[in-house]
Amino acid sequence: MVEVTVHHDTVVFTVRGLHKVFAFKSELTVPRSHITEVRADPEAAKHIEGLRAGGTSVPGLVTAGTFYLDHQGSHKPSFIDVAKPENVVVITLRDEEYQQLIIEVDDPVEVVAQLATSG
């Protein structure tokens, strides 16, 4: 699971618990202005197919880490941290290492509202 915190002009995505080990990453910091879209999207977590470039994928249990997704059409990877698809938020980025974040959060509605008004 990922905790999302807005600090002025930046958003910090903190990977919690054992997911740090699964994802090979504990935190991402992104300028607010680099977030181009935010949406709650449980279906996105059900279609994670592609090349794992560091992380863990145990179908039905957890998918976490850096992935080059088949359907992306970009040379940039996505960062994924999902155990419960119903709590997934997809965040599209520009000018960042990752094209998008597909992350499980505690309250998707709250995170979408928070990031949609943070720019």
Side-chain angles (χ1 to χ4, degrees):
M1 180 173 313
V2 176
E3 181 179 304
V4 179
T5 309
V6 176
H7 293 287
H8 304 289
D9 294 336
T10 61
V11 181
V12 179
F13 300 91
T14 306
V15 181
R16 294 290 179 201
L18 281 176
H19 286 235
K20 290 180 200 178
V21 175
F22 299 145
F24 297 173
K25 191 171 286 287
S26 61
E27 189 174 275
L28 296 163
T29 301
V30 175
R32 286 181 183 189
S33 61
H34 291 191
I35 296 173
T36 62
E37 180 186 10
V38 180
R39 69 182 189 278
D41 189 351
E43 290 301 310
K46 297 175 183 175
H47 304 287
I48 297 173
E49 298 173 1
L51 177 66
R52 182 178 67 226
T56 305
S57 182
V58 180
L61 187 59
V62 66
T63 301
T66 300
F67 290 77
Y68 289 89
L69 301 178
D70 291 343
H71 66 276
Q72 251 176 303
S74 170
H75 298 292
K76 288 187 175 183
S78 291
F79 177 78
I80 300 170
D81 184 16
V82 176
K84 296 178 183 175
E86 64 271 17
N87 291 337
V88 165
V89 172
V90 177
I91 301 161
T92 305
L93 305 171
R94 66 174 174 81
D95 301 328
E96 288 294 324
E97 172 186 0
Y98 295 106
Q99 176 179 329
Q100 65 182 352
L101 311 177
I102 301 173
I103 55 174
E104 175 189 343
V105 297
D106 188 43
D107 186 343
V109 173
E110 179 183 329
V111 169
V112 168
Q114 181 182 30
L115 295 180
T117 61
S118 68

